[in-house]
Structure formats: C-alpha cells, structure tokens
Amino acid sequence: MRGAAMSLTAASGGFVVLLLTVSVVQGQDGWGVTYTSTKICAFKGSTVDIHCTYTYPPRIKGHNTTVERTFWFTKVQNKEPVDLRTDSDYTGRVQYHCAENSCTLIITDLRESDSAVYKFRFITNQDGGCFIGSPGVTVSVSDLQVQVRRSSEQVELRCHSSCNVADHPSYVWYLNGQKMEEERFSLRVSVNDHNRYSCAVKGHEDHCSPPVYPPKLPSVSVSPSGQIVEGSSVTLTCSTDANPAAKYTWYKENDHKYHSQGPQLVFSSIQSSDSGQYYCAAENNLGMRTSQYIFIGVKYAPVLPSVSVSPSGQIVEGSSVNLTCSSDANPAAKYTWYKENEDSPKASGQIFTITDFRAEHSGNYYCEAQNERGRQNSTLHLTVGTSSPLLGNSAGMMNIIRLTLVVLMLIPLLLLILWTRRKKTPLSSTTEPNDYEETVEMDSPPVYEDVSDLKAVTAAETEDTEEQEDVV
C-alpha cells in the first residue's frame, strides 16, 4: 500500500477538500481497485472528482480478459449495485471519464444528500470476473454557515464549515451581497441590524454561505377565513422570513401575558370572550419584529335579555311607561315586543313606550332578542297600582294639591285670630288666693257664611290690632 497525504484540489465548476489520500485497495490474484482518496469533504454546490485505477489478470485459463462494463454506485437493490447514471437522485449531475484501467466520477452541484460512500465496480468477460473496490470513498458535503452568538445588545457572527480547508483559513464577508474590505474570522453587529451577512473562504468566493438576517415583518392569517362562529375551531398562523429560523409568540391586545408559543395559535372551540385583537412576535438571535393586529370577531347568538320598566315602582293609571330590553350578541340583536296571549307584536326596537297606561294594559310582556345565530326572550309583568278614589287618577291628585294649598293659607290666619282674641279677654278677678287654677273665658267663635267673610273680618281685626300696637 502506498503512502497517504493531505491535499486541496480544485475541480471544474467548484472545489473539493481531500482529507486523506490512500493508494491501492488490492485484491487477490491481480484483481484490485485503487482510490486516489478514501475521504473527501466538499462544499455544498461545488463539484467533486472521485478518481480510481483498477487492475485484473490479463489471461485466465488461456482466455484473454476484457472489461465489458464499468460504473460507480452507492446503493444496492435486489443484491445488485445501482449505476449512478440511472439513479434519479443524480439525474443530470453525474459524468464518467473513463480510460484504460482508470475511471473518474464527477458530481456537480453537490447536495448534502450526496454525502455517501462511493464504490467502483468493473465487470469482465471471465466467468465470475466482477470486482468491487472496497471500502470505497466517503464523501461529506458541508454547507458553509454563519454561526450567530448573541450577548446583550450585540451579536457575534462566525464563518464555519466542517471541512478543514486549511490550518488558518481566511474568510471573506459580504454585506447585503457586497464584499466587505476586511477579511476576518468573525464580525460583531448590533441587535436588530436589518442587514444580511454572509461569508466565504478566501479563494473560493463562488461558494458563499447562506445569508443571516433578523426576522422581516411577520404576516398573520386566520383559518377558516370568513365568518367565525362560537364553538368552531379557529387557527391563527404567523410567518416571516428569517435566518436563523424565527421563534414565534402570540399576544392579545392589552394582555401582557403571551397566549401561545409557536407559529400557530389554535382555538379548538372559540368563545365570545376570545374576541379581540391579536398579534405575533417573531424573534431570532439577530432581532425581533412584531406583526400587525388581526381582529377576531366571534359571532354568537343573543344571551338572555334583561328587561326593565321606567319609572320604577307602582304604575299610575294614565301615566307613560317605558319598557327597555338589552342583550349581548354578535351581530347586534334586533328586538321585538309581545304581549302574552297576543299573536301580533306590540312594537320593535329596544324601547317600547305605553303613553297612557290603563287597566287593560296590565299583563305579561316579553322581549325577544334575535340575530342570525339564534334568539332569546325575557318576560316582564305590568299592573296598575291600587289606591283610594281620590288617589286613583291624576284628577284626584290635583284635588289633593289644591286642598293642601288652601289649608296652608288658612292656618296662619286662624292662629292670628286666636292670638288677638286672647289679648282682648281680661283674666277673672274672683280667683281665691288659695286657688291654683287660672281660668280664661273666651267667647264662642263666630260663624261665617263662607271664606270671604272670614278674610274680611280677619283683615279688619288686623287693622285694629296694628292701631293698638301703635298707641302702645
């Protein structure tokens, strides 16, 4: 077996890294295959050349040996190796350059799925004259990457590859596709720097790493689209373009706690309380962006309506009464008023007014709240309040008010008359010294025909009283 060596070789349209060069894998009796390299590391998108030479006995039992077929393979089906030229995974990317006792496999536009062990096989005209070169060539396809490490408000970018292209490689950096002047192993950028950064190995600038960048403005969608009905299943989805891939968090407006993590927020049975504005946040080590609001309006049937009467308390016959109905619903409910045992509605709208309430208006009234999702109703009982004949209607009430005013006007006059007559009547002088009772005699009150006579007399007495007070 020949010696091993490390080398870096260029191939048409790309480059490969040969980690180990090993010579012959020699078979017995002159059969054998020698691979130039047993391990190859290549960058994604590049081209790799795998070369081998092979030997076989020129004559066996008096018959000359000729090679009838040569090919490379990675798979075996039904115990038979599959020629790479017929493998659908390599269609249009495989070429053989074979000459006498040598053959080169060329694979272009390498993919990570091309990482495999490649073996060469040749078939001769001799009985049993087939040979497979083992252990073959191990190809590893590496994707050059920018590693992102975040600390506080700064981010460190490092160019990385599993292919060791050199002991101290130089790296070229690109900002939004434009080559930067400095050549260095790493870069430091600020968080939420919205630029795109990529790198390449110096000398192989045709094979850049995928760019890294913070999330772009996320978009949100709702499924199913259209009307959202209470009790149905609803899914909100958040998506954005970012590298490294973004992580997602869902929030509801005016709610400081997150509702869900992941690109989807799922309501298995959505309720009216879930209505509101939602948004998502997309974040990676390079920064964070939040989406615009998406409004979720849940449609639901009216809840049990509440009914009220105004004014409250007893209903006076002849007064005006307002009945009010309200219910929570989406879309907004429409209201209809009915009286028990009557088929036709009494009114529509939230407020039903009875302007001149009478005894025949007494009874049960109910309000029906209805929208496209359903209906609900509530009942209210109305009756005229019981009272005396004087209080039974508004005319009686006015009589009470008038009588009260007259009494209030007469009370001061009566008190003044009593006080004046008391001053005119002298105390009795026949009272014995030992008597403890004091007797005051007063004339019987005069009788007047009507209130006008009383007012005239009272006025005259008032004038006499004022004249006497002036004399005093």
Side-chain angles (χ1 to χ4, degrees):
M1 186 175 289
R2 299 173 189 170
M6 300 286 293
S7 65
L8 174 67
T9 63
S12 175
F15 68 93
V16 297
V17 179
L18 309 184
L19 296 181
L20 181 63
T21 300
V22 181
S23 52
V24 159
V25 178
Q26 185 71 48
Q28 295 180 349
D29 301 327
W31 298 88
V33 175
T34 301
Y35 297 103
T36 305
S37 305
T38 57
K39 291 183 180 180
I40 298 176
C41 186
F43 289 117
K44 179 180 177 180
S46 65
T47 299
V48 65
D49 294 355
I50 307 174
H51 182 72
C52 77
T53 58
Y54 56 94
T55 59
Y56 52 89
R59 288 177 62 86
I60 298 177
K61 295 180 181 181
H63 296 283
N64 292 329
T65 304
T66 57
V67 177
E68 295 180 344
R69 184 183 175 194
T70 60
F71 63 93
W72 295 82
F73 70 93
T74 61
K75 301 175 184 177
V76 176
Q77 292 181 351
N78 299 322
K79 298 182 180 181
E80 286 294 324
V82 177
D83 189 338
L84 282 180
R85 289 172 294 192
T86 64
D87 191 332
S88 59
D89 292 337
Y90 294 86
T91 301
R93 299 190 299 119
V94 169
Q95 298 178 27
Y96 292 170
H97 289 177
C98 297
E100 185 177 357
N101 295 95
S102 68
C103 192
T104 299
L105 165 65
I106 302 174
I107 308 174
T108 60
D109 189 21
L110 281 173
R111 305 169 183 174
E112 290 181 87
S113 60
D114 294 337
S115 296
V117 176
Y118 294 81
K119 295 180 181 181
F120 177 74
R121 185 186 191 195
F122 65 95
I123 302 172
T124 68
N125 61 335
Q126 300 290 357
D127 186 20
C130 301
F131 194 84
I132 296 175
S134 293
V137 178
T138 302
V139 175
S140 300
V141 181
S142 174
D143 188 4
L144 192 65
Q145 294 179 343
V146 176
Q147 294 180 334
V148 181
R149 297 181 181 179
R150 179 171 173 175
S151 60
S152 185
E153 294 303 312
Q154 278 203 330
V155 178
E156 182 184 28
L157 307 179
R158 291 186 178 183
C159 202
H160 172 77
S161 173
S162 59
C163 289
N164 298 320
V165 296
D167 292 336
H168 300 287
S170 295
Y171 293 95
V172 178
W173 287 92
Y174 297 85
L175 172 64
N176 297 325
Q178 300 297 317
K179 185 176 180 179
M180 302 175 69
E181 294 183 1
E182 283 190 87
E183 297 177 3
R184 58 170 99 175
F185 172 65
S186 65
L187 287 179
R188 286 189 178 274
V189 299
S190 61
V191 175
N192 288 319
D193 179 341
H194 296 294
N195 294 306
R196 301 164 67 96
Y197 294 91
S198 58
C199 69
V201 177
K202 187 177 181 180
H204 306 287
E205 287 85 348
D206 291 340
H207 300 282
C208 287
S209 70
V212 294
Y213 46 93
K216 295 182 179 180
L217 181 67
S219 63
V220 290
S221 60
V222 58
S223 177
S225 59
Q227 196 175 82
I228 297 174
V229 179
E230 189 172 40
S232 63
S233 177
V234 177
T235 301
L236 305 183
T237 302
C238 184
S239 60
T240 187
D241 180 20
N243 189 27
K247 295 180 180 180
Y248 300 92
T249 307
W250 283 94
Y251 297 89
K252 189 177 182 181
E253 187 181 22
N254 300 325
D255 190 345
H256 298 296
K257 296 181 180 179
Y258 70 85
H259 277 247
S260 177
Q261 288 185 323
Q264 291 186 328
L265 174 58
V266 179
F267 298 92
S268 57
S269 179
I270 198 164
Q271 301 299 310
S272 59
S273 57
D274 295 321
S275 295
Q277 301 269 18
Y278 290 84
Y279 68 95
C280 71
E283 182 177 17
N284 65 10
N285 282 338
L286 288 166
M288 182 180 74
R289 293 289 296 274
T290 57
S291 72
Q292 296 179 342
Y293 284 109
I294 183 170
F295 177 73
I296 300 299
V298 181
K299 306 294 184 182
Y300 54 96
V303 299
L304 188 67
S306 64
V307 290
S308 61
V309 58
S310 176
S312 59
Q314 284 190 340
I315 300 176
V316 178
E317 189 173 8
S319 63
S320 178
V321 177
N322 290 326
L323 307 183
T324 303
C325 182
S326 61
S327 174
D328 182 24
N330 187 23
K334 295 181 179 180
Y335 301 93
T336 307
W337 289 93
Y338 296 88
K339 188 178 181 183
E340 193 174 41
N341 300 324
E342 292 187 10
D343 295 333
S344 58
K346 304 296 292 184
S348 61
Q350 270 194 282
I351 300 176
F352 170 32
T353 301
I354 305 175
T355 56
D356 185 13
F357 199 92
R358 299 294 176 183
E360 60 266 23
H361 293 138
S362 298
N364 290 327
Y365 291 82
Y366 67 92
C367 157
E368 183 179 82
Q370 179 181 5
N371 67 6
E372 62 190 38
R373 304 304 311 162
R375 64 183 67 192
Q376 287 274 19
N377 62 68
S378 290
T379 303
L380 180 67
H381 180 75
L382 298 182
T383 184
V384 174
T386 58
S387 60
S388 64
L390 186 62
L391 299 174
N393 51 50
S394 58
M397 183 61 69
M398 291 304 297
N399 290 335
I400 291 176
I401 295 173
R402 294 190 187 99
L403 181 59
T404 302
L405 291 175
V406 170
V407 171
L408 292 176
M409 291 174 60
L410 292 177
I411 287 175
L413 296 176
L414 292 173
L415 291 176
L416 182 58
I417 292 170
L418 292 175
W419 180 78
T420 303
R421 294 185 62 80
R422 182 172 179 176
K423 289 190 65 176
K424 289 183 178 182
T425 305
L427 295 176
S428 173
S429 59
T430 60
T431 306
E432 295 295 329
N434 294 331
D435 291 339
Y436 292 94
E437 295 180 358
E438 182 177 356
T439 302
V440 178
E441 294 183 2
M442 299 181 63
D443 295 334
S444 299
V447 177
Y448 301 99
E449 292 298 328
D450 53 26
V451 175
S452 60
D453 294 338
L454 174 60
K455 290 182 179 180
V457 173
T458 302
E461 291 180 351
T462 302
E463 291 177 0
D464 292 342
T465 302
E466 291 175 351
E467 289 175 359
Q468 291 175 10
E469 289 177 349
D470 291 340
V471 172
V472 176

